[in-house]
């Protein structure tokens, strides 16, 4: 809708005014927004913290693996994350440090399987659905008995 498109454009304008560079995309035709890549994003830019709900990827420069983990966790949200690496042990270590309900290694964050628990942490932490986790989230375990007729208790 117009509000979402306007929000997306405002985030891009704010980022570029503060030094980010649109690598590709950024345009629109009516309410259809081009897929966009924005480089050199910093915490001072609104797009760093605000969800755009638009077709955008931001690139944030980091100096080390620890810095990358810090940036990944520098958000109030935590639904899904992804780590890409040729080093499986390093990728698993990094994935274990990221504060998210789901973390994929060498795979996209848009991934869902019905038998797996789906949900996040922080402000994305409204429980889990999928598989056994859904049963735990959406049901209350109770024990109800019905006695029919008389029963002799040994007391």
């Amino acid at each position: 809708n117009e509000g979402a498109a306007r929000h997306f454009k405002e985030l891009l304008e704010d980022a570029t005014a503060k030094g980010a560079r649109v690598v590709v995309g950024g345009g629109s035709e009516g309410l259809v927004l081009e897929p966009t890549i924005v480089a050199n994003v910093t915490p001072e830019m609104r797009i760093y913290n605000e969800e755009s709900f638009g077709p955008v990827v931001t690139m944030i420069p980091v100096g080390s693996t620890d810095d990358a983990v810090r940036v990944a966790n520098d958000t109030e949200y935590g639904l899904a994350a992804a780590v890409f690496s040729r080093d499986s042990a390093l990728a698993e270590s990094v994935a274990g440090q990221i504060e998210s309900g789901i973390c994929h290694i060498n795979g996209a964050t848009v991934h869902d399987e019905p038998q797996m628990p789906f949900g996040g942490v922080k402000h994305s932490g409204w429980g889990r659905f999928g598989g056994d986790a859904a049963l735990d989230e959406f049901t209350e375990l109770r024990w109800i008995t019905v006695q029919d007729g008389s029963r002799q208790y040994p007391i």
Side-chain angles (χ1 to χ4, degrees):
N1 65 33
E2 283 185 30
R6 184 174 48 255
H7 178 71
F8 180 79
K9 291 173 186 176
E10 287 171 0
L11 291 177
L12 289 180
E13 289 170 5
D14 175 75
T16 56
K18 293 176 180 171
R21 181 174 56 89
V22 175
V23 177
V24 68
S28 64
E29 188 173 313
L31 297 180
V32 178
L33 306 169
E34 291 180 345
T36 303
I37 299 173
V38 182
N40 301 323
V41 172
T42 63
E44 295 75 29
M45 300 169 189
R46 289 176 51 200
I47 201 166
Y48 181 91
N49 287 308
E50 291 183 33
E51 290 185 305
S52 70
F53 296 105
V56 65
V57 171
T58 58
M59 297 190 313
I60 302 164
V62 296
S64 67
T65 300
D66 289 341
D67 197 26
V69 170
R70 182 193 57 75
V71 168
N73 290 333
D74 188 22
T75 177
E76 62 186 81
Y77 304 104
L79 179 57
V83 175
F84 291 85
S85 177
R86 290 185 184 100
D87 184 336
S88 296
L90 176 61
E92 287 184 36
S93 172
V94 170
Q97 297 174 65
I98 293 178
E99 299 164 353
S100 64
I102 304 160
C103 189
H104 302 286
I105 296 175
N106 296 332
T109 59
V110 181
H111 186 80
D112 188 15
E113 293 186 21
Q115 75 277 14
M116 299 306 296
F118 185 91
V121 298
K122 303 179 187 181
H123 284 167
S124 297
W126 290 91
R128 301 287 186 275
F129 63 88
D132 292 342
L135 295 175
D136 291 339
E137 286 292 330
F138 298 112
T139 61
E140 182 72 33
L141 181 61
R142 296 186 64 210
W143 179 22
I144 299 174
T145 65
V146 176
Q147 182 175 323
D148 191 14
S150 65
R151 182 173 177 152
Q152 298 296 325
Y153 291 97
I155 299 179

